[in-house]
Amino acid sequence: MATRQDVAQLAGTSPSVVSYVLNNGPRSVAPATRERVLAAVQQLGYRPNAVARSLRMSQTMTLGLVVPDAANPFFAELARSLEDHAWAAGYTLLVGNSVDDPDRESGYIRTFVDRQVDGLVLIPSRGDLPWRAELARSGVPSLVFDRELDGVATSYVLVDNARGARTATEHLLAHGRRRVGCIAGPLGIHPTVDRVVGWRTALEQAGLRAGSGSGGRTGWEACPDAAPLLHGSFGRLDGYRSGLALLSRDRSVDALFVTSDEQAAGVLRAATELGIRVPDDLALVSFDGIAAGAYTCPALSTMRQPYDELGGTAVRRLLDRMKEPDLLPTRDVLPVTLLARGSCGCPDPAGGEDPDLLAAAVAASTTPPSAGPLRKENGDTQ
């Protein structure tokens, strides 16, 4: 394995000058000498010792991310965006999966702090947050992504969940639906709380009543005229179970706002098993805009989150805090966009693609082979 001394000898200079070139300082190096050093590095295949370099610079060029469920495509797409933007800034992203377990979450945070990551992005699990004091003592810059925490003064990068849910519900009402139920996520976390508020606001402003839900059990029996609400986890299985429970009990429901695309996939399965046609008998709009939502049948109408902008904002805010630890906390709230497809009764484009993207793909498929491969929305090639 080549050493820094080997590079210096081949380049005709000293090891110190090699260090100045590779670290961009602290002293300047003549352009001709720099070129000789870089050529020697390339020729010898020299790789600096990352651990030693991090000790010298007090940086590891790594960021940590803790997610509550790595199997959920929503968190996977968020992580991909964060990773892309971190990599573009010269950082490697390390990911920990807490599986919604506060103890495991604390363990990952402790591990990342011990490994001296330069910054942390946290999507907190449900329940207590035993890591808060320890993270504050560590001095590692951090921000919270996706899930706002009551009474915790830190930096946040969020989407406008309440406005998005209200838009989704108003869209269902515009289709002429009058009994719009809600299948929601876990109680007590802000994506759920805010999306339920948006659903309720839209119904009340339309002169309709919204029911209540608790612990995954129906809560509207006492108010039969109120639209039903059920809570569960942000997953397909709970979406399926909640769909069966709600739709088998109340066949008058003609529309559903579902607070995540993963839940909505389970609801579609439940509706099919009950003989309920989507969107003829039941219109549905969900939330998140994950790529898989384009390939259900019908494709999911959904409130699409701006994944690229979310990842870019989070990385930028975290790097700012790493440079200036005394910055005041920030709170970025980004808008979501209605992507209307077949599940609500809007036209259902082939393959769930956006019409403009589909037209472009069809046009590209008629070009000669020399024009290159056909690119799909998700970046795959054919």
Side-chain angles (χ1 to χ4, degrees):
M1 181 180 294
T3 66
R4 189 173 57 174
Q5 180 67 45
D6 296 331
V7 174
Q9 184 174 352
L10 182 60
T13 187
S14 69
S16 296
V17 171
V18 173
S19 178
Y20 299 153
V21 171
L22 296 178
N23 294 319
N24 290 316
R27 295 185 180 180
S28 61
V29 178
T33 304
R34 176 181 293 273
E35 289 180 9
R36 291 201 311 273
V37 169
L38 294 176
V41 167
Q42 180 72 23
Q43 182 177 335
L44 295 173
Y46 173 66
R47 297 179 63 185
N49 186 312
V51 174
R53 185 175 185 272
S54 68
L55 291 173
R56 289 194 305 272
M57 301 181 67
S58 298
Q59 282 184 297
T60 60
M61 302 306 293
T62 57
L63 304 176
L65 167 66
V66 182
V67 300
D69 181 7
N72 187 318
F74 167 68
F75 296 118
E77 293 191 31
L78 278 183
R80 171 64 183 272
S81 175
L82 283 164
E83 182 183 22
D84 287 346
H85 286 280
W87 183 261
Y91 289 82
T92 299
L93 185 71
L94 307 178
V95 181
N97 177 26
S98 75
V99 296
D100 255 329
D101 179 347
D103 291 334
R104 183 162 165 172
E105 182 176 68
S106 296
Y108 270 117
I109 292 172
R110 190 175 302 113
T111 296
F112 287 153
V113 169
D114 290 345
R115 293 191 179 209
Q116 298 184 327
V117 297
D118 298 322
L120 269 173
V121 178
L122 307 173
I123 305 176
S125 64
R126 288 175 279 168
D128 296 331
L129 306 174
W131 45 264
R132 283 174 53 190
E134 187 173 355
L135 180 59
R137 287 194 301 269
S138 75
V140 175
S142 63
L143 62 80
V144 172
F145 206 31
D146 182 59
R147 297 182 176 183
E148 193 163 15
L149 304 172
D150 290 326
V152 178
T154 189
S155 291
Y156 293 97
V157 177
L158 313 164
V159 299
D160 196 339
N161 289 294
R163 184 181 293 273
R166 178 177 170 181
T167 298
T169 307
E170 288 172 345
H171 184 73
L172 291 167
L173 294 170
H175 273 282
R177 309 299 171 129
R178 304 305 293 168
R179 189 159 174 78
V180 183
C182 178
I183 291 180
L187 284 163
I189 64 171
H190 264 283
T192 297
V193 172
D194 298 334
R195 291 173 196 178
V196 169
V197 165
W199 164 76
R200 189 181 303 279
T201 299
L203 290 185
E204 291 175 350
Q205 291 194 346
L208 302 171
R209 296 187 63 182
S212 62
S214 176
R217 296 187 301 273
T218 59
W220 67 90
E221 293 89 346
C223 301
D225 61 328
L229 166 67
L230 259 65
H231 286 280
S233 72
F234 287 124
R236 297 181 189 184
L237 179 58
D238 261 35
Y240 169 74
R241 289 172 173 168
S242 295
L244 283 179
L246 189 154
L247 296 172
S248 60
R249 186 177 186 89
D250 190 344
R251 289 297 185 111
S252 66
V253 170
D254 59 3
L256 282 175
F257 167 58
V258 185
T259 58
S260 75
D261 290 347
E262 279 288 274
Q263 290 171 290
V267 173
L268 287 177
R269 174 73 189 196
T272 298
E273 291 184 3
L274 293 171
I276 297 172
R277 299 169 300 165
V278 177
D280 297 355
D281 305 322
L282 179 75
L284 186 151
V285 178
S286 54
F287 207 107
D288 288 338
I290 62 174
Y295 301 102
T296 59
C297 191
L300 288 176
S301 294
T302 182
M303 302 306 300
R304 175 184 275 168
Q305 299 208 35
Y307 292 101
D308 184 66
E309 190 178 354
L310 285 167
T313 301
V315 170
R316 184 176 69 254
R317 290 296 193 189
L318 190 57
L319 296 183
D320 288 345
R321 187 158 297 279
M322 287 156 52
K323 293 174 185 175
E324 297 184 52
D326 295 329
L327 283 176
L328 292 175
T330 56
R331 184 176 182 271
D332 293 280
V333 181
L334 305 183
V336 293
T337 305
L338 174 64
L339 180 54
R341 297 187 179 118
S343 69
C344 66
C346 285
D348 196 20
E353 298 276 9
D354 294 324
D356 291 343
L357 292 174
L358 183 62
V362 171
S365 68
T366 63
T367 58
S370 59
L374 172 63
R375 286 212 166 267
K376 294 291 187 181
E377 181 182 4
N378 62 3
D380 294 337
T381 60
Q382 287 185 336

